[in-house]
Amino acid sequence: MNLAVAEGRTERIAAAYEFLAALYQDAPAAHLALFTVPGEKSHWLLSGDLSAIAERAVDLSETCDTYFSIGLHSARPTKGRGLASGVRAIPGFWIEIDIAHPCHASASLPRGLEDVHSLLGAFPYPPSWIVHSGHGVHAWWLFPEPWTFDSE
């Protein structure tokens, strides 16, 4: 299910849950941030309740742009989105590729999705997912299970 085209609240929650489950179903219990703009506020939730995260993400997206922290944190930071040193697990590798658009300052960006797919084709392994993010894409190379870190 595509979250961007899901029509009703229930469908959007189901799509968000499906997406989050594919990333974190087998992850250790940890903290995941939903980050909203404007206001730059972090909303921390426990990764063990993906339904609650999906519902909160959909609710927040009704009034602001909503993003999530890809790395799961071992402890909830007291402020902000957390630091790399606090990440306990990641579901895979990812890259964001912006596409040329007036909202991006750089003029040396791929001109469209065809250029992005050509660029990704130069990688030795195809991505597991390609997610269109509006004015760019996120390419994901997912691990069979989340990679858990024993230390910083």
Side-chain angles (χ1 to χ4, degrees), residues 27-106:
H31 299 270
L32 182 141
L34 297 174
F35 182 73
T36 55
V37 177
E40 298 185 4
K41 184 174 180 187
S42 294
H43 307 260
W44 288 92
L45 298 115
L46 290 173
S47 64
D49 191 351
L50 297 176
S51 295
I53 296 170
E55 186 171 350
R56 184 70 188 265
V58 168
D59 289 345
L60 290 168
S61 72
E62 295 292 326
T63 58
C64 48
D65 292 339
T66 304
Y67 308 89
F68 70 101
S69 61
I70 296 168
L72 297 176
H73 290 256
S74 53
R76 178 183 172 177
T78 55
K79 65 179 182 173
R81 293 185 282 175
L83 302 174
S85 60
V87 172
R88 179 175 182 188
I90 58 174
F93 294 116
W94 61 95
I95 184 172
E96 178 179 3
I97 304 172
D98 290 332
I99 295 174
H101 186 274
C103 71
H104 298 298
S106 177

Side-chain angles (χ1 to χ4, degrees), residues 96-118:
E96 178 179 3
I97 304 172
D98 290 332
I99 295 174
H101 186 274
C103 71
H104 298 298
S106 177
S108 61
L109 295 172
R111 307 211 44 75
L113 288 176
E114 187 174 301
D115 290 346
V116 170
H117 285 279
S118 177

Side-chain angles (χ1 to χ4, degrees), residues 1-19 54 58:
M1 181 179 287
N2 185 337
L3 185 59
V5 298
E7 292 185 21
R9 181 175 184 275
T10 301
E11 291 82 9
R12 290 193 308 276
I13 292 170
Y17 175 83
E18 184 179 317
F19 179 81
V58 168

